[in-house]
Amino acid sequence: MDASVKSKLREIVGAANYSDAEEDRIVYAYDGVPMIENAPEAILFPETTEQIAEIVTLANDADFAVTPRGAGTGLSGGSIPSKNAVVLATNTWNKILEIDAENMTATVQTGVVTAQLMNEVEKIGLFYPPDPGSMNVCTIGGNVAENAGGLRGLKYGVTKNYVMGLEMVTATGETLRMGGKNVKDVAGYNLKEFAIGSEGTFGVFTEILLKLVPKPQKIITMTASFDKLVDAGKAVADIIAAHVIPCTMEFLDKTTIQSVEDYAKVGLPTGAEAMLLVEVDGFGSAVEDDAEKAMAALKKNGASEVIRARDAAEADRIKTARRSAFSALARQKPTTILEDATVPRSALPEMIEACQAAARKHDLFFGNFGHAGDGNLHPTCLIDERNADEVERAHKAFDEIYDKAIALGGTITGEHGVGLAKKKFLEQVVGPVGVKTMQAIKRAIDPNDVLNPGKMFSLAPRCESPLPRTQAGVEAFEERFPAN
Amino acid sequence: MDASVKSKLREIVGAANYSDAEEDRIVYAYDGVPMIENAPEAILFPETTEQIAEIVTLANDADFAVTPRGAGTGLSGGSIPSKNAVVLATNTWNKILEIDAENMTATVQTGVVTAQLMNEVEKIGLFYPPDPGSMNVCTIGGNVAENAGGLRGLKYGVTKNYVMGLEMVTATGETLRMGGKNVKDVAGYNLKEFAIGSEGTFGVFTEILLKLVPKPQKIITMTASFDKLVDAGKAVADIIAAHVIPCTMEFLDKTTIQSVEDYAKVGLPTGAEAMLLVEVDGFGSAVEDDAEKAMAALKKNGASEVIRARDAAEADRIKTARRSAFSALARQKPTTILEDATVPRSALPEMIEACQAAARKHDLFFGNFGHAGDGNLHPTCLIDERNADEVERAHKAFDEIYDKAIALGGTITGEHGVGLAKKKFLEQVVGPVGVKTMQAIKRAIDPNDVLNPGKMFSLAPRCESPLPRTQAGVEAFEERFPAN
């Protein structure tokens, strides 16, 4: 990038909010995805919508790319800088602007941390349900860009179900406000719905209006251990067949149980083949009814042990342990590939078996866990990326896992997004007409392909992927994981 | 339209599924909106997705427009034929293809009638919540095209919250399948969400996959009468403030109460200024708790009478009466303009007053009713369209009503769509950048502007609106309403 462009950028945001220092460029070169990274030309911390508009306008004139970034916890590479890009770091825009109890909404700046919002609204008896695994760190803006899910998706839905309004800067540097506090609104195309999950390619979010719901009065948390994986799958189906919709229904396989227990020490059943964490919530006697039906379904399907948490503290310990699955597994080996295969709920047992088969076939160390009620699994492969053969085997295993997911009517990503990590699978799941339609829309709304180009799909000839690992990135990795 | 094109169309669908007879052209010239109509060149009843693809391909080659149509009950003119258009009538595609109890989904053809689906799934304890006023006639395809709402929107959401998958023929004649039975799916842009509410301008829907939920165990229906309109508005706010989310919370003003009672004779409080119909549903004791809280809020806010329906039959009578509001009001005068102003719930009392003020100022006969919990009002103006002065006054009144709705943070349409009726207000609510973005996307996905052109917005220079009334339409009207 030209020095004159850099100096214009520095002028726009002010010297204190600009960096192209090598150490910052390394830090902002990656997100939660291993083995892909690319250093930005500069990192900008804009303070106003106008600054973002100026940056995007300059990007169109001077032919560079803009990659917006929240907390960088994404698991598909959505916030890894595109080629020749500046990073727009939004995590300092972290004010809750309004909580409107009467209309049950919250208006937040894009960089508000998800858990911070949850805690604030719970103080007045309201509830913001979407709870991605990284909720203590990730930002609402990032959640919207990726349409993040979480543990409560089955009953409460995902981020898109809670976004009532959005303000963003478009690819041509204009401000676009979509939606509002209206429960119903069908004025024109659903641009807001289209923006949700657009992975930074449609606009830079600045302000977000969220729907809230009344906080559930009562929560009952249960765990069940199984000697056979397939029994856990059957129990999930039976709970739903009893018309109980738990807010949470999490699955952990043996490897994950052992890793989590080793890490968190909460007394998980380390001898079990599988474990379910089931939580029902709501109001009045319905919660007890649901819990009874769920426990009956768990026992009927051969659960060797069904435990109901005595109190909120015990329930929290178990849930916190489940949330640590990613970190716990990541301790086993230097490189963690956490994937996102999702299938219709009825196909869950078959999908779990396919993951096990792929791990065996390619001699890989796999943990598996996920949101069983949603059919959303996180098969996690633990490797050492310096071992080229192991990397190749891992890629082969995931190719097979995604082939199977698609064959079962599933999808390549339930909640992490396509980004760079899933790009090669996109056409397989949405078809050539789907990709062509997405490309046509992207060209129409971002004619110079400046907003996070190369994510989800490429517009030839620019921005091919995968991005090569930069030399700086390799060195940083070697420092973190010195060769044995 | 060229005779050779017509004969090609007849060949594609077969002679039995083709008509350009004058009497059919008149019938398909209008929908639920008064004072706008335009006869199609021909009406086609395609029987396969392939036929639709051929028709759309021919439209691109021979430069005519295609307007898809379900039951034609729409209230914004979305299914009124564009200029030089053929109508694709989809209401004969009315098979329920699958009800999948395990995954709680239903797959239907586009022309399935909404109430037909509801009844089928309730037989096995499942529930399809979206219930537009026309649910006994309208089609799922039309519901998706307009993102239809209904009486249960506050608690259960609208059509978009239940569409898991869509198959459609694109504007270039290709088949695009979006979504599937996955509870979570973030593979690429949200094309499915974008298609919902696209009013026939993005694709012709052929197959729709819908989410179902467990059928609520218990429903409690209440009515309350008020001597002051503003008290009804306060009661609505207080019910929500008590964290009760009724499935239905309908408002009727005095004119509507009287018209409905006159028509349906169910014992509505004809002396009251306003009436609320409140329904809570769910499982276990929570339903009784909610009903008690709601009744307390109604009484606290000055309800002169609060009645709880004794049984399902009584509740059904009241709800059926409410559903007849449109028809009941329509009996008063030849022309019914039913509008769709929607505001944040907290602004409801002010919006109701603004409607009354506009009616008084312009000396018009107005009824007002709607979904109070959603802030979604249906101010309904009753005129005689042969009275040019009255028509003009009605237009002025609605201009003022929409100005007020937008000033209150509201929108021009909560659930009816923009179509032709609201086109002139679109930019006011979504802004010039919003319209420009919508136009850019429409050009990208439908380069020859063949799919329902001129709805929501125009792509200059083609298809300007409002469409003139055709001579045939005028004659049909005179026949229905002979001059006094």
Side-chain angles (χ1 to χ4, degrees), chain A residues 192-259:
Chain A
K192 170 175 67 81
E193 307 286 342
F194 186 78
I196 300 166
S198 61
E199 305 190 6
T201 69
F202 182 30
V204 182
F205 305 144
T206 48
E207 204 177 292
I208 299 162
L209 174 69
L210 297 164
K211 171 184 161 176
L212 307 172
V213 296
K215 192 181 172 199
Q217 211 174 40
K218 191 168 187 176
I219 303 176
I220 298 174
T221 307
M222 295 152 274
T223 56
S225 320
F226 294 87
D227 295 333
K228 285 191 227 157
L229 263 175
V230 67
D231 288 346
K234 284 184 192 158
V236 168
D238 264 14
I239 290 172
I240 303 286
H243 291 172
V244 174
I245 310 288
C247 61
T248 293
M249 187 142 59
E250 296 291 304
F251 157 84
L252 289 81
D253 76 352
K254 188 171 197 161
T255 305
T256 310
I257 298 169
Q258 290 173 342
S259 299

Side-chain angles (χ1 to χ4, degrees), chain B residues 442-457:
Chain B
K442 172 68 170 163
R443 275 193 201 97
I445 57 186
D446 184 5
N448 296 318
D449 203 15
V450 298
L451 279 184
N452 215 12
K455 304 301 165 68
M456 296 204 270
F457 49 77

Side-chain angles (χ1 to χ4, degrees), chain B residues 126-198:
Chain B
L126 293 172
F127 187 47
Y128 177 70
D131 61 341
S134 53
M135 67 185 198
N136 290 314
V137 187
C138 63
T139 66
I140 297 287
N143 294 172
V144 176
E146 301 293 331
N147 189 12
L151 278 63
R152 293 194 276 247
L154 173 60
K155 178 170 175 178
Y156 288 103
V158 295
T159 303
K160 74 173 173 185
N161 302 109
Y162 294 87
V163 180
M164 296 185 79
L166 264 184
E167 183 198 77
M168 70 177 200
V169 175
T170 68
T172 49
E174 292 168 298
T175 301
L176 178 56
R177 292 186 73 93
M178 298 162 280
K181 289 185 184 178
N182 303 293
V183 176
K184 292 171 173 171
D185 188 355
V186 291
Y189 284 143
N190 271 333
L191 294 180
K192 171 175 65 82
E193 309 285 342
F194 186 78
I196 300 166
S198 61

Side-chain angles (χ1 to χ4, degrees), chain A residues 324-387:
Chain A
S324 72
F326 177 23
S327 319
L329 284 165
R331 293 166 78 219
Q332 310 284 345
K333 281 205 164 200
T335 308
T336 310
I337 311 179
L338 186 146
E339 289 289 346
D340 194 22
T342 302
V343 291
R345 194 167 41 236
S346 60
L348 193 71
E350 205 173 336
M351 194 63 228
I352 293 173
E353 277 173 19
C355 293
Q356 289 184 311
R360 273 195 308 272
K361 178 174 167 190
H362 298 286
D363 189 23
L364 290 160
F365 185 61
F366 253 78
N368 205 346
F369 64 100
H371 317 303
D374 303 341
N376 182 192
L377 285 175
H378 294 312
T380 304
C381 184
L382 301 153
I383 59 169
D384 183 334
E385 63 189 276
R386 291 160 301 187
N387 179 338

Side-chain angles (χ1 to χ4, degrees), chain A residues 226-466:
Chain A
F226 294 87
D227 295 333
K228 285 191 227 157
L229 263 175
V230 67
D231 288 346
K234 284 184 192 158
V236 168
D238 264 14
I239 290 172
I240 303 286
H243 291 172
V244 174
I245 310 288
C247 61
T248 293
M249 187 142 59
E250 296 291 304
F251 157 84
L252 289 81
D253 76 352
K254 188 171 197 161
T255 305
T256 310
I257 298 169
Q258 290 173 342
S259 299
V260 169
E261 180 57 25
D262 192 35
Y263 177 81
K265 302 205 170 43
V266 288
L268 299 190
T270 48
E273 277 301 311
M275 175 187 152
L276 289 177
L277 163 63
V278 180
E279 198 164 67
V280 292
D281 73 354
F283 298 84
S285 62
V287 190
E288 281 293 344
D289 290 352
D290 280 354
E292 268 171 41
K293 285 183 197 161
M295 284 199 275
L298 292 165
K299 282 173 190 159
K300 186 189 138 200
N301 285 286
S304 51
E305 198 178 32
V306 180
I307 300 173
R308 177 174 163 162
R310 272 160 307 190
D311 51 27
E314 192 183 0
D316 273 350
R317 272 197 301 279
I318 299 167
K319 279 184 283 183
T320 305
R322 155 61 188 89
R323 283 185 189 284
S324 72
F326 177 23
S327 319
L329 284 165
R331 293 166 78 219
Q332 310 284 345
K333 281 205 164 200
T335 308
T336 310
I337 311 179
L338 186 146
E339 289 289 346
D340 194 22
T342 302
V343 291
R345 194 167 41 236
S346 60
L348 193 71
E350 205 173 336
M351 194 63 228
I352 293 173
E353 277 173 19
C355 293
Q356 289 184 311
R360 273 195 308 272
K361 178 174 167 190
H362 298 286
D363 189 23
L364 290 160
F365 185 61
F366 253 78
N368 205 346
F369 64 100
H371 317 303
D374 303 341
N376 182 192
L377 285 175
H378 294 312
T380 304
C381 184
L382 301 153
I383 59 169
D384 183 334
E385 63 189 276
R386 291 160 301 187
N387 179 338
D389 176 64
E390 198 174 36
V391 170
E392 203 189 320
R393 280 183 282 125
H395 282 145
K396 278 188 187 155
F398 280 117
D399 287 354
E400 288 167 19
I401 286 170
Y402 282 115
D403 284 349
K404 183 70 179 178
I406 292 168
L408 290 170
T411 183
I412 56 170
T413 171
E415 55 182 12
H416 293 169
V418 176
L420 296 171
K422 305 290 180 68
K423 240 174 113 167
K424 72 168 180 170
F425 301 109
L426 183 65
E427 184 166 324
Q428 215 179 328
V429 69
V430 304
V433 181
V435 173
K436 200 174 71 172
T437 306
M438 292 177 194
Q439 287 171 325
I441 295 179
K442 172 68 169 167
R443 275 193 200 96
I445 57 186
D446 185 4
N448 296 318
D449 203 15
V450 298
L451 279 184
N452 216 11
K455 304 301 164 70
M456 296 204 270
F457 49 78
S458 293
L459 297 183
R462 224 178 115 163
C463 299
E464 287 311 304
S465 78

Side-chain angles (χ1 to χ4, degrees), chain B residues 46-222:
Chain B
E47 291 186 322
T48 64
T49 301
E50 291 68 31
Q51 288 177 359
I52 295 179
E54 283 182 62
I55 295 163
V56 174
T57 304
L58 183 60
N60 278 281
D61 293 342
D63 195 27
F64 62 86
V66 173
T67 293
R69 180 184 173 104
T73 55
L75 290 165
S76 61
S79 60
I80 294 174
S82 300
K83 278 191 182 168
N84 192 33
V86 297
V87 161
L88 285 197
T90 55
N91 53 335
T92 54
W93 285 35
N94 54 8
K95 282 197 191 61
I96 296 174
L97 301 172
E98 183 199 54
I99 296 174
D100 176 345
E102 195 172 357
N103 289 304
M104 292 204 289
T105 62
T107 307
V108 303
Q109 288 185 329
T110 189
V112 163
V113 169
T114 311
Q116 176 197 349
L117 173 71
M118 284 173 176
N119 295 336
E120 277 309 309
V121 304
E122 289 189 22
K123 286 179 190 163
I124 56 164
L126 293 172
F127 187 47
Y128 177 70
D131 61 341
S134 53
M135 67 185 198
N136 290 314
V137 187
C138 63
T139 66
I140 297 287
N143 294 172
V144 176
E146 301 293 331
N147 189 12
L151 278 63
R152 293 194 276 247
L154 173 60
K155 178 170 175 178
Y156 288 103
V158 295
T159 303
K160 74 173 173 185
N161 302 109
Y162 294 87
V163 180
M164 296 185 79
L166 264 184
E167 183 198 77
M168 70 177 200
V169 175
T170 68
T172 49
E174 292 168 298
T175 301
L176 178 56
R177 292 186 73 93
M178 298 162 280
K181 289 185 184 178
N182 303 293
V183 176
K184 292 171 173 171
D185 188 355
V186 291
Y189 284 143
N190 271 333
L191 294 180
K192 171 175 65 82
E193 309 285 342
F194 186 78
I196 300 166
S198 61
E199 305 191 6
T201 69
F202 182 29
V204 182
F205 304 145
T206 48
E207 202 177 293
I208 299 162
L209 174 70
L210 297 164
K211 170 183 161 176
L212 306 172
V213 297
K215 192 181 172 200
Q217 211 172 42
K218 191 169 187 174
I219 303 177
I220 298 173
T221 307
M222 296 152 274

